[in-house]
Amino acid sequence: MRIATITNVAYVATVILTLASGVALFMASSADRAERNAVEQRYVLDKLTEEIETEAFVLSELTRSIVITPNADEIQQLKVGFKTERSLEKHLVAVKDAGASPDELLLLRDALVVMKELEDEQQAALGAVERGVAAEGMKIVFSADYEQQLDQAQYRFDHFRQLLDQRAQVAIGEATKKSQWLRSLSEIMVALTALLFLFVLGFIIKHRILRPVVTLSDVVNRLASQDYDVETPVLAQVDEIGDMAQAIRIFRENGLIRQRLERERDADWVTRNLLARMTQRLQGCDTRDSILKVVALFVPQIIPEMSGRLYMLDRRANRMVCMSSWLSPSGDDTPFTPDHCWALKRGQLHSPARDTVDVPCEHLAPDIAGKAICVPLIAQNTIIGLLTFENHAPEKEPPYTYLELIAETLALSLANQKLRDTLTERAMYDSLTGLHNRYHLEETLRTLLGRAEAKKSMLSCLMLDIDHFKRLNDTYGHEAGDQVLRETARVIQHALNERGMAFRYGGEEFLVILPEMNEAQAQTVASRLLMAISSQSLVYEAQEIGPVAVSIGIATWPVHARADNLIRTADLALYLAKERGRGQIVMAKSLAKEGE
């Protein structure tokens, strides 16, 4: 007989016994639940009757207190009690809903009738007090009849609880007895199940398992320690042990495959960690040079069997320029046009060795073009650059997914860096003139004033305004006015020669900050600017629109102004220059003279 036949019979018997044991346990649990329900019902009914009884005796004591010593607050409290008291019928319904028996309800109904009579007498006593005859009220609530009614109510409530206790004790006793019986039955069935299991287990071990298991134990132990070089024995017996031997052979083969997959998984995990770290570092880069350093550091670690280069697109020259390389790639890094690369033309990874027949890229040498891989760097449908890889292990499948992930991450990082540079430039520089804008002025001036204060030096400020700029705009048009602003800014930048900082302050006004210059030096720079600007001959669309004249106001810290009003003081000097006829320079008054 096969072991499966024996175990199947034992399994059916075990299932039957287990189900019977489970049913017995379920029924025992139901008995326990009935016991708990009886206790809970007893608690609920006790609580309800206690509330009713307490309500009656509280009103009684309050009435007696009133007839002895009338008190307006207590009278009002008693009236409120009468008004807010729930009807006796509601009390009875609540007790009935909680599960009281008919006999208990009948007894409780009698108690409620007595309570109603007590309430009527309490109201009569209260009426006597309100009429000013408290003696009559006292006679009512302190009479023997009133005391007898209180005793009757107390008796009925006590009798109700006695009946409730008796019923609860009977229910608890029956539930306990039933639960104990069912638990004993369940334990007997569990014991029978255990005996049957031990019998079948002993039979199988004695007749069919012991010897083959001893034979296979060493193999299993070695396989458990992941020693997959062990040879598995071939057992000829046609039963489960033979099937086990076959399974062990299959397990060994699967183990060998799993070992190989685990090694690949571990290598893949290391690669993923490196890729994640590279992504994190790229997110922290704020310049292109830092991005190139991160690429040169991480890419050779992520793909150690492939050398490569990183090219960036120079849009002005329309050339792909090599910016970085790693692991000494073959060939040279001569710039080339984007149309020489199939990856850039197609907008996706290009690997000629991936397919049987494909076209190599023209920018690569013929001896390496067949084993090279080109991956475009594209962000927001715009070509940013190119990654080229040279596969030094042709027998191994290149990690195309990681190549594309590297390219995607790098393209996004370069695009973000370019966007940051563009936003920074727009935030700090005027788009028309290329000078620093007004928003950058406050921080710069604060820094330069702090530096001048630390060095005990001076700082001068020139405010320039193009004379009759509105008339020039009206005569030649706003485009001609824009050209005048650009040319004026260019002349200012050239005349300063890195000795100061120029800002477009607004409209046709320019501001020049001259660190470490006193008023005499500032006067010299202003004169040079005045001459340089007025000597410019401006032409717009073959029409001469120059020369252009400017007015200049000068203020020097700390001679002419405090730190917080230096620009304002220069602006006032500019206003005086315009008032005096334009095309001239006005120096602000010193603080000492203003004080005089």
Side-chain angles (χ1 to χ4, degrees), residues 264-319:
E264 294 178 357
R265 182 201 61 192
D266 293 341
D268 185 68
W269 184 252
V270 172
T271 302
R272 287 177 180 271
N273 283 338
L274 286 171
L275 185 58
R277 287 170 57 193
M278 185 187 79
T279 302
Q280 294 172 353
R281 302 305 182 270
L282 288 175
Q283 290 174 351
C285 294
D286 54 1
T287 63
R288 178 182 291 184
D289 290 340
S290 60
I291 292 175
L292 296 178
K293 290 179 181 179
V294 169
V295 171
L297 176 63
F298 278 93
V299 174
Q301 304 297 324
I302 296 173
I303 311 175
E305 67 277 4
M306 301 179 71
S307 60
R309 292 187 176 94
L310 167 62
Y311 291 87
M312 297 293 296
L313 177 61
D314 182 354
R315 299 192 178 279
R316 295 181 179 178
N318 193 30
R319 289 287 188 275

Side-chain angles (χ1 to χ4, degrees), residues 16-86:
I16 294 173
L17 290 173
T18 303
L19 290 176
S21 175
V23 171
L25 282 176
F26 179 77
M27 294 176 66
S29 176
S30 299
D32 293 341
R33 227 172 8 252
E35 180 180 346
R36 288 194 299 272
N37 291 338
V39 174
E40 291 176 359
Q41 186 188 60
R42 175 183 176 183
Y43 170 76
V44 173
L45 291 174
D46 273 346
K47 185 177 180 182
L48 286 173
T49 55
E50 184 179 353
E51 290 177 356
I52 299 171
E53 184 180 2
T54 301
E55 180 182 349
F57 284 99
V58 166
L59 292 178
S60 179
E61 291 300 323
L62 185 59
T63 304
R64 286 181 170 181
S65 174
I66 291 172
V67 299
I68 294 173
T69 307
N71 183 288
D73 292 338
E74 291 184 345
I75 292 172
Q76 184 63 30
Q77 183 180 354
L78 183 60
K79 289 181 179 180
V80 172
F82 289 151
K83 290 181 181 180
T84 59
E85 181 186 30
R86 295 174 295 177

Side-chain angles (χ1 to χ4, degrees), residues 65 100 130 170 213 282 319 323 345 493 548 567:
S65 174
E130 290 178 339
V170 171
V213 166
L282 288 175
R319 289 287 188 275
M323 306 299 295
K345 290 193 289 186
Q493 285 279 64
V548 174
I567 295 178

